[in-house]
Amino acid sequence: MFICYFVFYLLCLQATCSLVYSLTCQLQKDMLQESPIQLLQRQRLLLQMEYYAEKEAFRKQTEAAGMQRKVKRGDAWFPLRVGKRFYNGLNQLCVEVFRTQDGDIEHNFECGRPLLFFKFIEKGERTLNKAVQLKYYGFTGTVSYVEGDRMVVAVPDSAPLLDLQSASEQVGCQLGFDETSYQMMFDALDRTMKAKGNRLAHLRDLFYSRQKVEKFSFAPIRLPWLNPTQEKAVNEVLWAKDVAVVHGPPGTGKTTTLVEAINETLMRESQVMVCAQSNMAVDWICEKLVDRGINVLRIGNPTRVNDKMLGFTYERKFEAHPDYPQLWSIRKAIRELRNNRKKGSESYHQKMDRLKSRATELEIRINAELFGEARVVASTLVGANSRIMEGQKFTTLFIDEAAQALEAACWIAIRRASRVIFAGDHCQLPPTVKSIAALRGGLGKTLMERIVENKPEVVTLLKVQYRMNEEIMRFSSDWFYGGQVETAPQIKYRGILDYDNPMVWIDTSDEAVVSSYDLTESEANSAPSQLNNDKGNAFHEQFVGSSFGRINKGEAELTLKTLVDYFTKIGKQRVLDERIDVGVISPYRAQVQYLRSLIKKRAFFKPYRSLISVNTVDGFQGQERDVILISLVRSNDDGQIGFLRDLRRMNVAITRARMKLIILGNVQTMTKHEFYKKLWESLSQS
């Protein structure tokens, strides 16, 4: 008996020691793990690295690049025609400008970006070889609206617009460095780190830990017009007390699901906030909400919006308010009083104070009514910090395309909400990070990704896609989504031609392909570009600069030859009658511009130009086409593929096609990477 007790004692002692050891190890592990505050501090440091890197790159580009290069890159308009000046609905002094040359160059101007005006002045004596000097005006404007070759720029009241309008020298404008967005993100991180005992502090600690989330427990609602995973996603949004994630792979109806979730939330809440990283994404979701009859208040001026959306912007609604004419009259009286001020006038300050007080009263009243009527308040993440949003709070914040937003940008909007719904796909395009060091440090990792890792229980994966032929979707589903994404039965076999292979890869390293490379007048209906006589070298990449990347002229020519051949198979009339649209994608800007120039030159494409879009991978995010051609560009003996190693970009590219996907690239170069090797093998076996 004694021996039994002794053995039992030893076993208990061993178990206790094991438990103590395990608890000690766990404690040490926890101590090594970063706290939410430490994680945010690291984010701030990485953001500072990105800020300084981008600022330095901008300085070098501004100082070193010639004007023609800036224009070609889309960062400048020169020369300009300066139009009228006026005050907009927000009482901002604005001036309109018009681009007079290079209208075919895609520019980078968009709403909210800073802008600098300049002129060229003569330096030294007037001689035949007179030198000119670039001189900047001493103020910074902000792009308010841009469409085509017309742009509206908000400027300070002190801006010398008369000098700008009447300048005898040629004037132009270029993008300035965006300090404001960075400052907003820094402030958001600081505010989040300092938060104590409030909802912001709770969400911060929850998002950066494995703390269990809470849910409501009411019965699920039935939405028979949605598929089961979409219906589940909507219910998870409604049940979430703190956070939910809608993970939407390509073509799975993420926007449809999100709109339904917003609509159902509005059955329970008076108002919600909807944000996204870009104006384009905000406008897209807003249009869908407006189509559902939901009253949307769009904060900020969208860059390229249709007339329907313009009517829902804060500025347009402000101007349409019945009290606005009275407010405008008061503002006009204030400007006239300021301009006609008499020295030593005692009544000036009294009149000014009275007018300003009345104007402020009207502004507050109009603002309150606009926000009171709106069911959805929508803006970009940075736009959530607008002065007109001051004091606004929301129960629920929806962040669309959350996988493209920096963590710091998300916290700008989160401070206004009690719970957050993320929607996006972290297997597609990530946020743009220019600093290599910051990227390696983790700046490219989004808040949505952290929550997916830490809290998989709040994530709902949409599993049925309605865009692509089954064969186009299969590889993406297997590689990125664990084979969970299925194709809806009605589009499983969608195609253009009978017995057509939906997905092909044309190998530009294949001698048979290279030897058949012969663009004749009959094939292209135009003279081909002058290439190297050595056809093999014609398919090798060339580096053309850090801003534009690389170009492969032979591959570009072959891409268009392939499109010509495919259009010929389909038949010209059928392409036009059925509006079969085409997207030509390349990861490099230089290749995109070269492809665009070739299409413009060739008479064959003239009837189809409205059906053909050429852009980078980023430019096609969220879009789809019947036919997609991808020019991979990279062709070298070392197997170097640059940022094509970021497989999320390729996932976006290959999932844009509805019925036909054609990839053109050097198999020998690309298949040295495992992803492209598997892709090539899957196509070879099909």
Side-chain angles (χ1 to χ4, degrees):
M1 181 65 73
F2 174 76
I3 295 172
C4 291
Y5 278 117
F6 183 73
V7 171
F8 178 75
Y9 171 76
L10 289 176
L11 291 170
C12 290
L13 184 63
Q14 185 182 2
T16 304
C17 291
S18 298
L19 181 61
V20 170
Y21 177 78
S22 113
L23 289 172
T24 304
C25 291
Q26 185 61 45
L27 182 62
Q28 290 175 342
K29 187 177 178 182
D30 291 341
M31 288 176 66
L32 291 172
Q33 289 179 344
E34 292 178 296
S35 69
I37 303 295
Q38 289 172 322
L39 284 167
L40 285 166
Q41 286 172 338
R42 191 206 294 175
Q43 278 293 309
R44 199 183 196 289
L45 181 63
L46 293 171
L47 189 64
Q48 281 182 320
M49 293 167 63
E50 172 73 0
Y51 166 74
Y52 289 125
E54 190 173 353
K55 191 173 183 178
E56 180 62 17
F58 179 82
R59 185 190 65 78
K60 288 180 178 178
Q61 287 179 358
T62 303
E63 292 178 357
M67 185 49 59
Q68 285 303 115
R69 186 166 180 80
K70 291 178 186 176
V71 171
K72 191 176 179 181
R73 204 166 52 217
D75 295 337
W77 282 6
F78 180 80
L80 286 180
R81 179 171 66 83
V82 183
K84 64 181 180 180
R85 59 177 176 173
F86 58 93
Y87 282 87
N88 63 15
L90 300 178
N91 203 32
Q92 296 170 319
L93 179 60
C94 295
V95 60
E96 60 177 358
V97 296
F98 300 87
R99 179 167 57 172
T100 59
Q101 293 181 16
D102 304 302
D104 57 332
I105 296 177
E106 185 180 358
H107 63 78
N108 300 317
F109 293 93
E110 60 181 24
C111 176
R113 298 200 66 174
L115 181 143
L116 305 172
F117 286 100
F118 60 82
K119 61 183 177 181
F120 282 99
I121 59 173
E122 295 176 13
K123 188 172 85 174
E125 298 180 359
R126 293 175 175 268
T127 62
L128 291 174
N129 297 320
K130 59 187 177 186
V132 292
Q133 181 182 14
L134 187 66
K135 182 180 179 182
Y136 290 95
Y137 285 84
F139 66 91
T140 300
T142 304
V143 178
S144 178
Y145 181 79
V146 59
E147 184 177 27
D149 294 328
R150 176 180 176 268
M151 181 160 57
V152 176
V153 183
V155 299
D157 283 333
S158 58
L161 291 186
L162 187 61
D163 180 37
L164 186 68
Q165 290 173 307
S166 60
S168 57
E169 306 89 354
Q170 286 187 320
V171 298
C173 66
Q174 70 175 55
L175 288 173
F177 182 69
D178 189 5
E179 296 267 2
T180 307
S181 296
Y182 276 104
Q183 194 55 55
M184 287 181 184
M185 288 190 283
F186 287 134
D187 290 345
L189 290 175
D190 292 340
R191 190 184 300 110
T192 306
M193 285 187 283
K194 292 175 183 176
K196 291 182 181 179
N198 56 13
R199 192 63 184 168
L200 182 61
H202 173 74
L203 292 176
R204 175 198 66 205
D205 296 340
L206 183 70
F207 291 174
Y208 291 105
S209 70
R210 296 192 180 274
Q211 181 182 333
K212 195 170 179 65
V213 298
E214 295 183 11
K215 293 184 178 182
F216 295 107
S217 58
F218 53 82
I221 60 170
R222 293 283 298 121
L223 302 165
W225 53 91
L226 301 180
N227 67 50
T229 55
Q230 290 174 331
E231 185 180 282
K232 182 177 184 294
V234 174
N235 278 292
E236 290 291 343
V237 168
L238 299 177
W239 289 330
K241 282 188 178 181
D242 303 301
V243 63
V245 176
V246 180
H247 183 188
T252 54
K254 172 180 67 66
T255 302
T256 300
T257 306
L258 196 59
V259 168
E260 200 64 51
I262 293 170
N263 188 60
E264 290 297 326
T265 303
L266 289 172
M267 301 289 185
R268 297 155 176 80
E269 300 172 18
S270 60
Q271 192 177 67
V272 301
M273 187 176 185
V274 176
C275 290
Q277 176 66 17
S278 66
N279 277 292
M280 186 181 294
V282 177
D283 292 339
W284 178 248
I285 190 78
C286 283
E287 285 189 33
K288 300 299 178 184
L289 292 168
V290 168
D291 290 341
R292 290 291 295 267
I294 297 171
N295 190 343
V296 175
L297 181 62
R298 174 71 164 92
I299 307 300
N301 289 323
T303 51
R304 296 178 178 88
V305 300
N306 54 36
D307 293 339
K308 178 176 70 175
M309 282 313 304
L310 272 175
F312 288 88
T313 60
Y314 179 90
E315 186 176 14
R316 294 292 185 272
K317 286 195 172 189
F318 195 95
E319 292 172 347
H321 194 276
D323 289 340
Y324 179 74
Q326 185 183 356
L327 176 61
W328 177 256
S329 299
I330 295 171
R331 286 172 172 175
K332 186 179 178 183
I334 290 172
R335 289 194 292 270
E336 289 175 350
L337 184 63
R338 191 179 286 126
N339 293 333
N340 301 324
R341 179 183 179 182
K342 295 179 181 178
K343 292 184 179 180
S345 174
E346 297 181 1
S347 61
Y348 169 80
H349 292 290
Q350 294 177 350
K351 289 180 180 178
M352 182 63 74
D353 289 343
R354 196 162 52 249
L355 288 169
K356 283 184 176 180
S357 177
R358 180 57 179 159
T360 302
E361 182 187 331
L362 287 171
E363 285 177 5
I364 292 172
R365 185 197 302 172
I366 296 173
N367 191 70
E369 289 186 17
L370 293 182
F371 276 97
E373 295 169 355
R375 300 299 311 280
V376 171
V377 178
S379 73
T380 61
L381 291 166
V382 172
N385 203 47
S386 171
R387 67 173 182 85
I388 59 178
M389 292 282 288
E390 198 61 41
Q392 299 294 328
K393 296 288 185 180
F394 306 87
T395 303
T396 305
L397 164 67
F398 292 87
I399 302 179
D400 194 15
E401 302 297 352
Q404 293 183 53
L406 292 172
E407 281 191 51
C410 289
W411 286 110
I412 296 174
I414 291 174
R415 75 181 179 95
R416 300 193 181 280
S418 298
R419 68 184 192 125
V420 189
I421 312 300
F422 296 90
D425 183 10
H426 51 282
C427 300
Q428 296 190 63
L429 287 182
T432 301
V433 179
K434 296 179 180 178
S435 167
I436 302 297
L439 187 63
R440 289 174 177 169
L443 188 62
K445 189 171 187 177
T446 64
L447 190 55
M448 176 178 163
E449 281 184 85
R450 290 192 187 277
I451 293 168
V452 170
E453 288 180 5
N454 293 336
K455 297 174 175 42
E457 68 275 13
V458 306
V459 182
T460 306
L461 176 68
L462 305 181
K463 297 182 180 180
V464 183
Q465 68 91 13
Y466 301 88
R467 176 186 298 164
M468 292 158 274
N469 181 289
E470 167 70 15
E471 289 189 33
I472 298 174
M473 184 63 204
R474 189 183 301 132
F475 184 82
S476 174
S477 176
D478 291 343
W479 186 277
F480 295 100
Y481 309 104
Q484 296 186 74
V485 180
E486 304 171 352
T487 306
Q490 60 268 33
I491 56 103
K492 195 170 185 175
Y493 303 107
R494 72 189 312 180
I496 300 173
L497 297 171
D498 294 336
Y499 310 109
D500 191 18
N501 192 346
M503 193 170 175
V504 296
W505 185 330
I506 298 174
D507 179 13
T508 58
S509 65
D510 189 339
E511 290 185 5
V513 172
V514 174
S515 61
S516 66
Y517 176 71
D518 181 25
L519 290 177
T520 64
E521 183 73 23
S522 61
E523 289 175 312
N525 206 13
S526 173
S529 299
Q530 296 296 319
L531 298 172
N532 195 312
N533 292 328
D534 185 346
K535 291 181 177 180
N537 288 339
F539 286 87
H540 270 64
E541 63 183 72
Q542 301 172 36
F543 182 71
V544 294
S546 57
S547 299
F548 292 90
R550 298 173 189 272
I551 192 170
N552 189 325
K553 292 186 176 182
E555 190 174 285
E557 298 271 8
L558 185 61
T559 300
L560 297 189
K561 179 183 183 295
T562 304
L563 182 56
V564 168
D565 293 343
Y566 196 64
F567 270 5
T568 304
K569 283 183 182 179
I570 300 171
K572 176 180 177 180
Q573 201 58 44
R574 185 186 168 196
V575 172
L576 296 174
D577 290 347
E578 298 182 15
R579 305 288 297 173
I580 298 173
D581 52 1
V582 177
V584 184
I585 302 176
S586 181
Y588 296 100
R589 290 180 64 184
Q591 188 79 343
V592 167
Q593 291 194 2
Y594 187 67
L595 284 162
R596 286 174 177 168
S597 67
L598 290 180
I599 290 173
K600 284 182 180 179
K601 291 176 184 176
R602 300 200 171 167
F604 178 89
F605 294 110
K606 190 173 181 181
Y608 312 109
R609 283 176 189 166
S610 63
L611 301 173
I612 302 173
S613 305
V614 186
N615 216 327
T616 60
V617 180
D618 300 59
F620 270 100
Q621 173 76 354
Q623 300 185 41
E624 59 186 74
R625 297 291 188 274
D626 294 324
V627 182
I628 289 288
L629 295 95
I630 305 172
S631 172
L632 296 176
V633 175
R634 302 310 297 261
S635 176
N636 55 73
D637 298 330
D638 303 322
Q640 298 295 321
I641 61 173
F643 65 86
L644 284 177
R645 289 193 301 270
D646 187 345
L647 305 181
R648 293 171 293 185
R649 311 185 82 84
M650 201 57 191
N651 186 32
V652 173
I654 65 178
T655 56
R656 300 307 95 193
R658 301 188 191 103
M659 293 179 277
K660 181 73 174 183
L661 174 65
I662 304 171
I663 301 171
L664 297 99
N666 188 312
V667 170
Q668 292 181 9
T669 299
M670 300 303 301
T671 54
K672 291 179 181 178
H673 190 286
E674 185 63 22
F675 172 87
Y676 297 96
K677 183 181 178 182
K678 291 288 187 185
L679 178 59
W680 169 253
E681 289 173 352
S682 71
L683 295 177
S684 303
Q685 295 168 5
S686 62

